[in-house]
């Protein structure tokens, strides 16, 4: 893995976005630049360029070098580990920051699977439980739970996707179907898949010395109506990971578990009074540095391989690799 000095040297070069007019119009998401490639020979494709933008509290806080590469490469690794559970949208990886994906219709629900009662945002189990709620997402919880306790079994707490700077809406599994967001048979299929994905994620995280605490899955419908796993999976952006060896010791001491995901950034901001309302203060460079090191370390623990990043600046490399891929996109 890169040293702290090496990462600090590239902080100013972190990838904020890539404008590639030859691909068409760019759609800018929170952490990705997205292009739709229309090709009569091979069919339409989505070009997903994962930037180094960091989003927390549904706000873009700043840039974390190498984050985009970790998210792209780690998601691809997870897709390979879980393709026996459900099909995914990955077609090719022409660059360490770039995913070529199938075009599909994203479902308007994010499927969050939780194994512990934790979190600091308004959609988190512990945040609501600490305010006195005992029925959360339509699920009854007993008295006497403590922050960061494990749940008897993983549970699904769906939310709608945040839009226009708003926060995710808390809904129940029953409301997903009642409101017509997802058909009943499709919701049953993705609920079953989500729990199976989470169990696989827990097993592989444990092998790497980590605890998979909770995670977000997104699904879409392919042109033939089949369900497909999309977006990213089990990365430090989409999942919460704790260090297994220190978990019990830190809980006994009344401390937060060692977080190797972006939750430690939320905790940093929350400790200073920010919980997502209004404009956040910029991500401090030292925090960006520590986030980069944690993202790379998480990659190595999970995959068991060394993270070998591609060099900065990234934009010229991405353009060259995409032009090369376009010579034979099928």
């Amino acid at each position: 893995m890169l040293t702290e000095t090496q990462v600090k040297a590239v902080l100013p070069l972190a990838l904020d976005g890539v404008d590639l007019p030859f691909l068409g119009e760019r759609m800018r998401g929170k952490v990705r630049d997205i292009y739709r490639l229309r090709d009569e020979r091979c069919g339409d494709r989505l070009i997903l360029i994962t930037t180094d933008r960091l989003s927390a509290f549904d706000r873009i806080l700043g840039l974390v070098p190498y984050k985009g590469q970790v998210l792209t490469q780690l998601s691809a690794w997870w897709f390979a580990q879980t393709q026996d559970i459900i099909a995914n949208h990955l077609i090719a990886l022409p660059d360490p920051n770039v995913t070529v994906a199938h075009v599909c219709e994203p479902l308007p629900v994010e499927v969050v699977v939780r194994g512990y009662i934790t979190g600091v945002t308004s959609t988190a189990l512990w945040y609501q439980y600490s305010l006195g709620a005992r029925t959360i997402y339509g699920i009854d919880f007993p008295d006497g739970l403590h922050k960061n306790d494990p749940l008897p079994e993983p549970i699904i707490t769906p939310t709608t996707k945040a839009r226009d700077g708003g926060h995710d809406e808390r809904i129940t599994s029953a409301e997903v179907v009642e409101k017509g967001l997802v058909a009943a048979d499709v919701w049953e299929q993705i609920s079953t898949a989500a729990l199976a994905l989470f169990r696989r994620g827990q097993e592989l995280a444990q092998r790497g010395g980590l605890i998979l605490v909770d995670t977000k899955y997104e699904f879409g419908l392919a042109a033939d109506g089949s369900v497909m796993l999309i977006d990213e999976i089990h990365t430090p952006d989409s999942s919460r990971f704790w260090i297994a060896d220190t978990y019990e010791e830190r809980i006994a001491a009344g401390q937060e578990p060692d977080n190797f995901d972006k939750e430690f950034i939320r905790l940093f901001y929350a400790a200073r009074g920010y919980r997502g309302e209004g404009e956040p203060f910029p991500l401090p460079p030292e925090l960006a540095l520590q986030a980069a090191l944690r993202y790379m370390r998480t990659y190595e623990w999970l995959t068991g391989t060394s993270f070998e990043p591609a060099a900065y600046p990234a934009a010229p490399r991405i353009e060259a690799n995409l032009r090369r891929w376009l010579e034979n996109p099928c």
Side-chain angles (χ1 to χ4, degrees), residues 7-325:
V7 176
K8 184 179 286 188
V10 301
L11 278 172
L13 298 175
L15 184 64
D16 188 22
V18 185
D19 191 14
L20 302 171
F22 69 93
L23 285 178
E25 182 179 358
R26 176 176 64 166
M27 296 172 282
R28 185 177 168 100
K30 283 188 290 189
V31 299
R32 287 180 185 80
D33 291 340
I34 305 170
Y35 296 86
R36 180 160 179 161
L37 180 67
R38 301 185 182 279
D39 192 304
E40 294 181 358
R41 296 171 300 161
C42 310
D44 288 0
R45 303 281 194 270
L46 287 180
I47 310 295
L48 310 175
I49 302 175
T50 310
T51 68
D52 295 331
R53 298 191 296 266
L54 181 117
S55 172
F57 301 103
D58 296 318
R59 302 288 188 272
I60 296 175
L61 302 180
L63 301 175
V64 173
Y66 300 116
K67 187 179 81 75
Q69 295 184 38
V70 169
L71 265 60
T72 299
Q73 303 306 302
L74 188 52
S75 283
W77 183 83
W78 275 110
F79 284 147
Q81 313 309 309
T82 58
Q83 59 188 351
D84 61 315
I85 296 173
I86 189 169
N88 60 70
H89 69 170
L90 175 62
I91 296 175
L93 296 171
D95 179 89
N97 284 82
V98 179
T99 300
V100 180
H102 291 284
V103 174
C104 65
E105 178 188 352
L107 295 172
V109 173
E110 294 181 348
V111 184
V112 182
V113 183
R114 305 179 192 263
Y116 289 72
I117 184 165
T118 189
V120 299
T121 65
S122 62
T123 59
L125 290 182
W126 175 251
Y127 182 80
Q128 298 169 66
Y129 188 90
S130 67
L131 295 178
R134 292 296 179 268
T135 300
I136 311 170
Y137 294 98
I139 300 169
D140 293 329
F141 292 83
D143 290 329
L145 293 178
H146 302 91
K147 187 178 183 182
N148 300 324
D149 278 354
L151 299 170
E153 295 288 341
I155 61 172
I156 291 177
T157 61
T159 68
T160 57
K161 292 186 179 181
R163 297 185 183 278
D164 301 324
H167 295 293
D168 302 337
E169 176 192 7
R170 297 189 298 271
I171 56 175
T172 67
S173 290
E175 288 172 331
V176 169
V177 176
E178 292 167 1
K179 293 184 175 184
L181 298 173
V182 178
D185 61 329
V186 174
W187 179 246
E188 181 178 0
Q189 182 180 346
I190 63 177
S191 297
T192 300
L195 290 172
L197 288 166
F198 191 74
R199 285 192 291 270
R200 181 71 53 78
Q202 286 179 308
E203 293 168 2
L204 294 179
Q206 186 177 29
R207 292 183 196 175
L210 296 171
I211 297 171
L212 175 60
V213 180
D214 50 40
T215 194
K216 171 183 69 69
Y217 301 113
E218 294 197 37
F219 298 88
L221 297 179
D224 62 1
S226 61
V227 177
M228 185 175 291
L229 180 65
I230 63 174
D231 196 50
E232 63 185 66
I233 174 176
H234 295 166
T235 72
D237 257 23
S238 65
S239 304
R240 197 184 327 245
F241 294 102
W242 292 338
I243 303 299
D245 286 348
T246 62
Y247 167 71
E248 292 187 2
E249 177 184 345
R250 291 181 70 91
I251 293 299
Q255 300 173 331
E256 286 287 335
D258 287 320
N259 290 282
F260 268 70
D261 52 71
K262 71 177 180 182
E263 182 68 6
F264 92 100
I265 293 175
R266 287 197 187 99
L267 292 169
F268 175 91
Y269 273 79
R272 288 153 182 80
Y274 183 77
R275 288 181 178 271
E277 301 303 325
E279 285 299 316
F281 56 88
L283 188 71
E286 183 59 30
L287 195 62
L289 171 63
Q290 291 305 312
L293 294 170
R294 287 173 184 242
Y295 274 62
M296 289 186 284
R297 177 59 71 193
T298 303
Y299 173 96
E300 296 187 342
W301 279 330
L302 289 170
T303 67
T305 60
S306 175
F307 179 69
E308 303 295 338
Y312 283 106
R317 184 200 73 236
I318 290 171
E319 179 169 351
N321 284 339
L322 276 172
R323 287 187 181 278
R324 192 175 299 113
W325 177 78

